[in-house]
Amino acid sequence: MERGGDKQAKQSDNGGCDASEWKKVAELRAVVEVQDPAAKEEDDFMLRRFLRARDHNIGKASAMFLKYLAWKRTAKPNGSITADEVRNELAQEKLYVQGHDKLGRPMVYLFGARHIANKRDLNEFKRFVVYILDTTCTKLQAGQEKFASVVDLKGFGYANYDIRAMLEALDIMQNNYPERLGRVFLIHVPYVFMAAWKMVYPFIDDITKKKFVFVADKNLDATLRDAIEESQLPEEFGGKLKLQGFNALCN
């Protein structure tokens, strides 16, 4: 179940959620459990994230959450995605879930130039996105519900240009993992990526748009070191953290 540190978090949720918000969470639970018994398997923190994603509107949050439950049954019929189901994606070693930032959020490092558009299978790619998000959530500590990311686009070209994959990843994250993304630093951004970004941008919700930060090369070192301790910053970016293949970390 996609909970991370949620079980212990409620006791340490100091000021993060007032009584009125928990009351709304209870109201949301009452609504969704009547319509789908599977809602009983999800904890209050999960419900709170969906509630916040819809500005505490019970009707909109319940509709979003019920769609999530239906998606979950289809996307993860066995309860989770295994490494064997995304073996081709993992073999590319384009993504690492390792270390944390100064706020204690797990870090996801993505190297865009390692994604080859004409070699990917869309269904496996979608499973890969779910696999990565679920794995990242298991690394959340008590009281922490979000992760952060650095997307390195050095060397990104037309072979890596994949609008369909970008939209699918965005859809999965926004609709099924709301309030999980904390911050994304996009670095070494080439012109060709900006062309793709302009096409994807309209599909990003307003709250999520604010979480993407484009970092100029001249500000790269200062920006990353301001957010991430040197011990947690990969060697590729001047830190001391040695990135390991995703297979070694998560299998």
Side-chain angles (χ1 to χ4, degrees):
M1 188 177 296
E2 184 260 321
R3 292 188 180 183
D6 287 349
K7 288 182 178 180
Q8 297 84 17
K10 200 165 187 177
Q11 294 180 351
S12 59
D13 187 47
N14 299 321
C17 181
D18 60 26
S20 63
E21 188 174 38
W22 283 125
K23 182 178 179 180
K24 283 217 164 192
V25 169
E27 292 175 12
L28 176 59
R29 179 173 293 283
V31 171
V32 296
E33 286 187 358
V34 168
Q35 299 184 62
D36 190 335
K40 297 178 181 179
E41 300 176 9
E42 309 295 347
D43 63 31
D44 285 347
F45 289 91
M46 170 77 82
L47 290 172
R48 184 176 69 171
R49 288 191 292 274
F50 278 83
L51 187 65
R52 287 178 171 179
R54 289 297 178 263
D55 296 322
H56 297 87
N57 182 298
I58 297 294
K60 292 181 179 180
S62 62
M64 182 186 187
F65 188 74
L66 291 169
K67 286 182 180 179
Y68 157 74
L69 292 177
W71 167 85
K72 183 179 179 181
R73 281 189 283 268
T74 301
K76 297 188 283 187
N78 298 314
S80 64
I81 302 296
T82 66
D84 285 338
E85 294 179 85
V86 292
R87 185 62 60 189
N88 293 328
E89 289 288 334
L90 287 174
Q92 298 172 37
E93 295 198 346
K94 57 189 172 185
L95 192 148
Y96 301 81
V97 180
Q98 201 170 337
H100 55 268
D101 67 6
K102 291 181 179 180
L103 296 179
R105 299 178 296 198
M107 290 299 304
V108 177
Y109 294 98
L110 172 64
F111 295 86
R114 299 181 188 177
H115 174 81
I116 308 301
N118 64 8
K119 292 185 178 181
R120 67 108 175 97
D121 174 82
L122 188 61
N123 287 327
E124 182 179 3
F125 177 80
K126 290 192 289 186
R127 292 195 298 271
F128 177 64
V129 173
V130 174
Y131 179 81
I132 293 298
L133 289 170
D134 283 350
T135 298
T136 304
C137 288
T138 65
K139 296 180 178 295
L140 293 165
Q141 299 177 356
Q144 180 59 259
E145 297 186 66
K146 299 179 184 292
F147 66 90
S149 179
V150 173
V151 178
D152 187 353
L153 296 163
K154 186 175 184 179
F156 185 95
Y158 287 107
N160 317 115
Y161 193 96
D162 197 344
I163 298 297
R164 183 70 183 277
M166 291 174 69
L167 289 173
E168 291 289 355
L170 180 66
D171 178 74
I172 290 171
M173 185 177 67
Q174 288 190 155
N175 293 320
N176 303 295
Y177 296 82
E179 297 296 306
R180 281 303 198 188
L181 181 64
R183 181 66 57 87
V184 180
F185 293 113
L186 296 109
I187 66 176
H188 301 133
V189 183
Y191 174 79
V192 65
F193 177 81
M194 292 309 300
W197 181 255
K198 289 179 181 179
M199 297 179 68
V200 173
Y201 191 74
F203 296 94
I204 306 175
D205 65 53
D206 291 338
I207 294 177
T208 303
K209 285 176 180 175
K210 299 176 182 178
K211 299 177 181 180
F212 287 91
V213 180
F214 286 83
V215 184
D217 288 351
K218 65 179 181 180
N219 300 324
L220 179 57
D221 187 67
T223 299
L224 293 184
R225 289 180 181 276
D226 183 59
I228 307 167
E229 295 287 356
E230 186 178 29
S231 64
Q232 301 298 306
L233 187 65
E235 295 173 340
E236 287 82 349
F237 309 128
K240 295 183 177 180
L241 181 68
K242 185 176 179 60
L243 292 178
Q244 303 177 46
F246 200 84
N247 286 290
L249 289 170
C250 299
N251 293 334

